[in-house]
Amino acid sequence: MPNSDHQNPSAVDGNTFVAMCLARAGLDRMFGVVGIPVTSLANRAVALGTRFIAFHNEQSAGYAASAYGYLTGRPGVMLTVSGPGCVHGLAGLSNATVNTWPMVLISGSCDQKDLGRGDFQELDQIEAVKPFSKYSAKATDITKIPSCVFNVLDWAVSGRPGGCYLDLPTDVLHQTISESEAQKLINDAENCRIKEVNLKPIVKHSEIGKAAALLRKAERPLIVFGKGAAISRAENALKKLVESTGIPFLPTPMGKGLLPDNHELAATAARSLAIGKCDVALVVGARLNWLLHFGEPPKWSKDVKFILVDVAEEEIELRKPCLGLVGDATKVVEMLHKEIKDDPFCLAKSHPWVEALAKKSKENVSKMEAQLAKDVVPFNFMTPMRIIRDAILQVGSPAPVVVSEGANTMDVGRSVLVQMEPRTRLDAGTWGTMGVGLGYCIAAAVACPERLVVAVEGDSGFGFSAMEVETLVRYQLPVVVIVFNNGGVYGGDRRNPEEITGPYKEDPAPTSFVPGASYHLLIEAFGGKGYLVGTPDELRSALSESFSARKPAVINVTIDPYAGAESGRLQHKN
């Protein structure tokens, strides 16, 4: 039976027991902010082989955990204190769930006997996390810890991945059991793990045949893939399917890189034509949500037939495609490729559809390159983005992970920056979340230590998590943060003179920041390297030096405050 005997040297307390369970589950990374009652848990986890990345703010730690889940396919785990710590952690948990990434939020909570009495940081956390998690567990006794830990980790990756929550009351963390009983409980819980929870549904062979027939008969087929295909590691299967059939493809923003952006069948530069005229669209690991205009006219043809590949049956039911294939993206694409290989077909380069997309792509790329070729000073968004693109490409393989957030900065970057390798782009994602930047950078540096991490941030997006540059320096992570500094959310004060009225008209505009802010000095305060640049040569020099050093750096790029657009959607899109 559990007790509170702290004198027994062989006794295992709740903190150590949780750490033992996490270690048994193979967890080797954790993100979070420590404090009462979870500091000991973090220290015990470190002692048992888990690298703990300590943040300044739970919001950024949560974004890191969510992105880590995406990059590795294993649950990203975050640790917080109770009450407000848990609430701040909901930013990351909700981000993981909306993006369908595996993540587990672990929070301490108040002593169970004091619940409802106004205890320190008291909150009904199980109730608070409900809208943001697919599964929650509360360890009401030390003996329940193993099953709770294994359940949340398993549910995070089951079916459609998402966020899960584990609640650890203070009194349970202080309970103790013998080491032998602890090992027995872990063994028993591991033997009882629901193996079926990790099984993905297997699509019927007859359904694969229908999908192959639709693609074979199509006059203007298109393959669309998203970050669901990325987390499934579907790149090789997609490459075989695309190249054996000659069907053009279109990635969603974070699907970029599964096949190289410069692939001859890439339709990204002819996006409007591709989605507007295709008659059959195979959509793999991407939802027909706002990012794909809900699969509806006027962006899509009213007659388009969708073949939707998704791991969740409810997604198929929601979208009601012509044909739904429920299963893991990689397995379904492999099955489809095998089916087609038995009765092969291939669209030649001279096929009218392939030719039309190639022609439109070439036209749009030429227009953009003409804009990019100009050295505009003071900087607009295009000139520095071209220089950054070229510097990233010069790194070669393994390619850097590019983190992108902001309004104009992210939109321009999506079109200009080139992704050549899978899972090398992290941006605002399905929810359009701002403030993810530094958390994503840290996750990428921890998950992909062989890669340089380059963040291309608007000054507003950077401001959400700028203090985490100290975290970069503390752990000496190879992250270069490039801030497009245009003095505001869209570039400073955009009000018409008639709008500047009222008793507080002398205040700065809601969109504006301090002009010429010295963001580069922020990282220097902690021992990192800062650069202030305003010309092409200065930017090239800063990129060359910082990329070579692979040390924490901030490059503060001065942008013309009038270069942006309020919507963040500049008129360079195809």
Side-chain angles (χ1 to χ4, degrees), residues 310-572:
D310 200 282
V311 76
E313 191 170 356
E314 58 268 28
E315 181 68 21
I316 306 290
E317 291 169 357
L318 172 67
R319 308 296 176 184
K320 296 180 172 55
C322 172
L323 179 63
L325 304 176
V326 182
D328 174 73
T330 301
K331 290 189 174 71
V332 173
V333 174
E334 284 172 345
M335 290 172 74
L336 191 51
H337 176 254
K338 188 179 179 190
E339 176 77 12
I340 289 170
K341 201 167 69 169
D342 292 342
D343 184 9
F345 70 91
C346 185
L347 278 58
K349 288 182 185 178
S350 58
H351 188 283
W353 174 235
V354 177
E355 212 167 44
L357 288 174
K359 183 184 175 191
K360 188 65 176 174
S361 292
K362 192 174 179 182
E363 287 173 8
N364 287 336
V365 167
S366 294
K367 284 179 193 171
M368 176 173 284
E369 288 302 324
Q371 289 186 62
L372 289 168
K374 301 168 190 168
D375 275 348
V376 179
V377 181
F379 278 149
N380 60 7
F381 283 85
M382 305 294 270
T383 298
M385 201 68 79
R386 179 202 80 221
I387 296 167
I388 293 164
R389 176 196 68 184
D390 294 347
I392 289 171
L393 287 171
Q394 283 172 11
V395 173
S397 186
V401 175
V402 175
V403 176
S404 184
E405 68 173 331
N408 297 303
T409 308
M410 186 172 68
D411 281 344
V412 177
R414 185 183 299 131
S415 297
V416 176
L417 300 177
V418 178
Q419 256 64 55
M420 302 295 287
E421 296 178 11
R423 292 166 295 281
T424 55
R425 179 180 173 83
L426 294 167
D427 65 21
T430 304
W431 228 11
T433 311
M434 289 297 116
V436 295
L438 270 293
Y440 280 10
C441 286
I442 292 164
V446 170
C448 314
E450 75 283 4
R451 297 185 188 271
L452 177 69
V453 181
V454 181
V456 186
E457 307 252 309
D459 49 0
S460 175
F462 176 66
F464 279 80
S465 58
M467 191 63 185
E468 301 301 345
V469 297
E470 187 276 338
T471 310
L472 299 181
V473 175
R474 188 171 6 118
Y475 292 99
Q476 282 297 295
L477 300 174
V479 177
V480 177
V481 181
I482 304 164
V483 182
F484 276 46
N485 182 359
N486 63 351
V489 175
Y490 302 113
D493 195 340
R494 295 304 178 93
R495 297 173 296 179
N496 297 320
E498 59 269 22
E499 292 180 289
I500 305 174
T501 60
Y504 303 106
K505 64 182 180 181
E506 301 303 323
D507 275 359
T511 56
S512 64
F513 301 145
V514 171
S518 299
Y519 296 118
H520 56 294
L521 296 182
L522 184 62
I523 196 166
E524 292 193 346
F526 306 112
K529 180 69 173 173
Y531 303 84
L532 175 63
V533 305
T535 69
D537 285 345
E538 289 171 349
L539 179 55
R540 285 190 196 97
S541 174
L543 290 169
S544 175
E545 187 178 305
S546 60
F547 283 16
S548 296
R550 293 179 69 93
K551 298 283 188 185
V554 170
I555 302 175
N556 185 7
V557 184
T558 304
I559 305 290
D560 182 345
Y562 298 100
E566 184 172 358
S567 69
R569 300 178 187 274
L570 300 192
Q571 299 305 309
H572 67 272

Side-chain angles (χ1 to χ4, degrees), residues 215 220-226 229 237-252 259 265-268 274-275 278 280-286 292 300 307 309 333 336 340 345 353 357:
L215 290 170
R220 297 176 301 281
L222 181 69
I223 297 174
V224 180
F225 48 79
L238 283 166
K239 185 175 189 289
K240 287 179 188 173
L241 181 64
V242 164
E243 294 182 351
S244 64
T245 61
I247 298 175
F249 66 87
L250 178 71
T252 64
L259 273 68
L265 288 168
T268 310
I275 67 175
C278 72
V280 174
L282 172 67
V283 182
V284 183
L292 289 173
W300 295 83
I307 305 166
V309 179
V333 174
L336 191 51
I340 289 170
F345 70 91
W353 174 235
L357 288 174

